[in-house]
Amino acid sequence: MAVTLDKSLLPPVVFGGLIAVGLIGAGFFIGNGVVNAQVGNRQVTVRGVAERDVVADLAVLTISFSYSGDDLNAVTGRIDSDLVKVRAFLKAQGYPDDVLTNGRLSVTDNKANAYQPATTQVLHYTAGNTVTIRTRDVARVAQTQRSLDDLVRQDVLIGFGDPLYVYTKLNEVRPSMIAEATASARSGAEQFAKDSGAPLGPIRQATQGSFEILAREDIDPEPSSLNKRVRVVATVTYQLR
C-alpha cells in the first residue's frame, strides 16, 4: 500500500532537509559519472617508426653530347656521327636496343639575339643530342658511368651526369613495414602505461604517415644513391583503462 506524505504535516526544516538529501544524492551520482567519463577519456598518443635498407631496382642514365662550329651542316653532321659512336659504345657495354632512347637534335644559334663584345670569338652554332638508358640492370649502369671516359677518348664531347636510381618495389614492403611501425608504437605505449600505472586499452585512432625513400647515408642525395632507406611513421592513440 502506497503512503502519501503530506508536506503540510512536516515542519519546514524537515522538508527542506529531505530536499537537500535528495540533491546531495543526485550530485553524488552525477559526480561519479563525470569522474568516470574523465577516466574513460584518458589516452596516450605515440609514434612508431619502421626503416628498411633497400637497393634501387631501376636506373636511368642520360648521356648528352654537343659540338660547336660555324658551319651548320658540319656541326649537325658531327652530332649524327657522335650519336653512332655513343650507341656503339653502349652496345659494347651490353645494352639491348630496347633500353636505349635517342633524344632530339637541338641546334642553337649563338650569334642570334645575343650581345657579344667585338673581341670575343663565338662559334656560330652549337648542336647537341642525348641517348637515355632505362634499365633494371642497375649494376651495369654503375659500371657504364665509370667507363664514360672511353667516349671522351673517341672525341665525343659528353656532359657528365649521375644516373638516377629508383626503387619501385614499395608495395612489396609496405604491409610488413606498417606492421613494424605499429608494433613499435605499441611498445612505446606499453612502456608509458607501465610507468603511469594505467593498463593499456584498445586503439582509438591510428594514422599512417607517408612513406619516405631516402639515401642510405644522410650526406648523399637520394636520386643518385643506389643504396636507399625506406622509412614510415605510424601515429597511434591508445585508450588507457
Side-chain angles (χ1 to χ4, degrees):
M1 179 177 64
V3 178
T4 303
L5 181 63
D6 188 346
K7 65 180 182 180
S8 63
L9 300 178
L10 294 175
V13 175
V14 175
F15 182 71
L18 293 175
I19 295 176
V21 170
L23 292 177
I24 292 172
F28 172 78
F29 290 111
I30 294 173
N32 276 348
V34 171
V35 172
N36 288 336
Q38 291 173 347
V39 171
N41 284 334
R42 290 171 61 191
Q43 60 189 35
V44 57
T45 299
V46 291
R47 290 183 179 181
V49 180
E51 292 187 341
R52 185 170 300 183
D53 290 338
V54 298
V55 178
D57 58 290
L58 174 66
V60 180
L61 175 61
T62 298
I63 301 174
S64 60
F65 46 97
S66 62
Y67 187 74
S68 298
D70 290 319
D71 187 298
L72 180 59
N73 289 331
V75 170
T76 56
R78 170 63 181 267
I79 291 301
D80 291 341
S81 175
D82 287 350
L83 177 61
V84 173
K85 291 180 181 180
V86 171
R87 290 190 67 97
F89 165 79
L90 295 176
K91 184 176 182 179
Q93 290 280 313
Y95 295 101
D97 290 338
D98 61 351
V99 304
L100 304 178
T101 303
N102 292 350
R104 296 179 59 184
L105 175 67
S106 64
V107 178
T108 302
D109 186 342
N110 298 320
K111 294 187 178 182
N113 301 321
Y115 169 77
Q116 297 291 341
T119 57
T120 302
Q121 180 66 34
V122 178
L123 296 175
H124 199 152
Y125 301 103
T126 297
N129 206 337
T130 62
V131 176
T132 299
I133 309 165
R134 184 182 178 91
T135 179
R136 299 283 181 179
D137 193 347
V138 295
R140 189 181 302 276
V141 170
Q143 176 61 40
T144 298
Q145 184 189 20
R146 294 190 290 267
S147 302
L148 288 177
D149 289 349
D150 293 344
L151 280 174
V152 178
R153 296 185 181 96
Q154 296 180 47
D155 201 23
V156 179
L157 303 179
I158 64 172
F160 288 88
D162 292 329
L164 299 179
Y165 292 110
V166 184
Y167 181 68
T168 66
K169 298 180 179 180
L170 187 59
N171 285 337
E172 296 181 11
V173 302
R174 186 189 302 271
S176 58
M177 289 193 64
I178 292 175
E180 290 175 15
T182 304
S184 173
R186 184 171 185 84
S187 176
E190 288 174 343
Q191 184 61 50
F192 180 89
K194 180 181 178 181
D195 293 342
S196 64
L200 191 66
I203 293 177
R204 297 195 61 183
Q205 184 179 4
T207 304
Q208 172 208 312
S210 59
F211 276 79
E212 294 181 281
I213 300 180
L214 312 167
R216 188 171 299 181
E217 304 297 333
D218 292 335
I219 61 173
D220 297 329
E222 182 274 324
S224 59
S225 297
L226 177 60
N227 298 307
K228 300 181 184 291
R229 177 165 42 98
V230 180
R231 184 175 189 267
V232 65
V233 178
T235 304
V236 186
T237 299
Y238 289 93
Q239 182 81 40
L240 291 177
R241 299 188 186 279

